[in-house]
Amino acid sequence: MRLTPALWRALAGDEARVTRPVVYVDPRLDLTHRRVLTAAGAGDLDYALTERLTDLLSRVVEQVVTGPTPMGASPAKADHALVAAARAVIGEGDPAANGLFPLAELLGVSPYRLSRAFTRELGVSLTRYRNRVRLGRALDRLEGGESSLATLAADLGFADQAHLCRTVREHLGHTPTALRRLLAEPT
């Protein structure tokens, strides 16, 4: 992720109203930074890491920019429509759903706004929701006899097979191989 002028404008507004050239790293900012590092090691660069970096950037913007910013709270009705549109795009498997930035661009909002609206509206992060959809598809394919976890991972947009396995275990408590056996067992 790069801090492009467009990303800065999406988070801070059109005019740079920087009041302090120094950022104080308080415990909240420290925790946010640590979560960025954790997300970087998890492998989901297009969502989890991007959401964490956007959160870190927004906390910095809150410290150094004066006046209203585009990342402020949005009306609940607008959030509802935005989240519904994002869910539809993710559900359809649109290529724009492969990353937070392309999805936000497709929907005409900032990545920060999309991420925050999702959490406010559904009570789960966009990353967690997207993983739920991908895991549903993974379960369908495992139940259908999918034999290659590497192919499954690539088809579902995971960074690699290990990323798929970590995500499956985190959400379902089993490895994909164990799930394949569970799904094949007669009831």
Side-chain angles (χ1 to χ4, degrees):
M1 179 174 131
R2 289 184 45 229
L3 181 56
T4 62
L7 177 57
W8 177 261
R9 282 191 303 278
L11 293 171
D14 290 326
E15 296 178 24
R17 298 174 311 276
V18 177
T19 57
R20 288 188 304 261
V22 176
V23 174
Y24 169 69
V25 180
D26 63 9
R28 284 182 55 206
L29 191 58
D30 185 24
L31 174 61
T32 303
H33 178 253
R34 289 168 191 262
R35 294 183 76 198
V36 165
L37 297 175
T38 300
D44 192 356
L45 303 180
D46 291 324
Y47 268 87
L49 179 60
T50 304
E51 278 189 313
R52 295 291 179 235
L53 282 171
T54 304
D55 189 34
L56 179 65
L57 256 168
S58 70
R59 291 188 189 283
V60 169
V61 167
E62 287 171 1
Q63 278 194 33
V64 300
V65 173
T66 60
T69 62
M71 63 183 202
S74 59
K77 190 174 185 180
D79 281 356
H80 182 73
L82 175 60
V83 170
R87 290 177 68 189
V89 170
I90 292 168
E92 293 165 2
D94 188 296
N98 288 337
L100 179 61
F101 279 88
L103 181 58
E105 185 177 340
L106 176 73
L107 297 172
V109 297
S110 74
Y112 180 86
R113 167 122 193 276
L114 177 59
S115 180
R116 291 299 169 250
F118 221 89
T119 302
R120 277 193 300 265
E121 186 73 18
L122 293 182
V124 296
S125 71
L126 183 53
T127 300
R128 194 153 191 88
Y129 178 82
R130 178 174 170 258
N131 279 339
R132 169 59 188 102
V133 171
R134 293 193 299 176
L135 291 177
R137 291 178 181 145
L139 287 171
D140 289 344
R141 292 201 29 199
L142 290 169
E143 190 172 30
E146 177 68 53
S147 60
S148 171
L149 295 180
T151 300
L152 182 62
D155 290 352
L156 296 178
F158 289 93
D160 54 25
Q161 182 176 331
H163 180 213
L164 167 70
C165 292
R166 280 192 309 275
T167 303
V168 167
R169 183 185 297 268
E170 174 190 341
H171 287 261
L172 299 171
H174 299 283
T175 64
T177 303
L179 287 172
R180 188 184 298 126
R181 282 192 304 269
L182 288 171
L183 293 168
E185 287 179 358
T187 53

